[in-house]
Amino acid sequence: MQRIVLLSILVLLAPGVGPASGDLRMRAIMHTKLSNTQVLLKAIVTTDYKEIDRAAVALTRISESEIVSWQNPPKREYTDQAMLFMISVDDLREASRKRDIEGVGAAYSNLITTCVHCHAFVRDARVASLSLPGTGNR
């Protein structure tokens, strides 16, 4: 819960986003997130609770770093996805602490779903922004 409050504060205080995929820093962050989720999957499959927690903590730090790197005010949909991601990471850590591999798997599935939804949102926003206002078919 504390992480969710922290994320909310970071979102409000961040200088902004729009996660521009062309931004080198954002690409590096996304690559690090991807690598970490792969490490996390390996830890889940091998039931290595210590590594699950370590990877989840790293994902939290990466996400916090991402949020403070935002340059423009983020769209609500993006901040909603960021919050869902952080909630999934917290759920994953809690299930790991309880040594509940089924709960860990469910939280990991939710975490990956937030990634898919967020990337779809960013992709759709990018496609929608390719045309200039007022240049529609007449």
Side-chain angles (χ1 to χ4, degrees):
M1 184 65 178
Q2 290 176 352
R3 294 212 187 278
I4 295 168
V5 172
L6 175 62
L7 177 64
S8 298
I9 292 168
L10 287 173
V11 166
L12 292 173
L13 297 178
V17 168
S21 67
D23 177 53
L24 292 178
R25 179 168 165 75
M26 188 58 70
R27 283 184 187 207
I29 290 169
M30 290 295 115
H31 180 73
T32 303
K33 268 185 165 177
L34 176 61
S35 296
N36 208 280
T37 56
Q38 291 167 340
V39 167
L40 183 56
L41 178 59
K42 180 181 179 189
I44 292 168
V45 171
T46 59
T47 320
D48 182 345
Y49 291 108
K50 189 179 238 181
E51 187 60 27
I52 290 168
D53 191 61
R54 207 174 333 199
V57 167
L59 279 174
T60 297
R61 287 189 186 126
I62 295 162
S63 295
E64 290 167 353
S65 172
E66 175 186 357
I67 290 166
V68 297
S69 75
W70 292 345
Q71 299 301 310
N72 301 305
K75 297 219 182 256
R76 170 82 189 231
E77 295 88 347
Y78 187 78
T79 56
D80 288 349
Q81 289 303 316
M83 290 295 293
L84 290 171
F85 181 88
M86 296 295 283
I87 289 167
S88 295
V89 172
D90 284 346
D91 290 348
L92 199 146
R93 290 191 71 203
E94 181 63 19
S96 177
R97 187 187 64 73
K98 292 178 179 177
R99 298 196 174 281
D100 173 10
I101 198 64
E102 294 297 321
V104 167
Y108 182 79
S109 179
N110 289 337
L111 182 122
I112 297 305
T113 299
T114 65
C115 294
V116 170
H117 289 165
C118 189
H119 281 257
F121 167 71
V122 171
R123 187 175 43 255
D124 292 347
R126 194 176 319 121
V127 169
S129 69
L130 290 178
S131 60
L132 297 173
T135 60
N137 295 336
R138 294 181 186 183

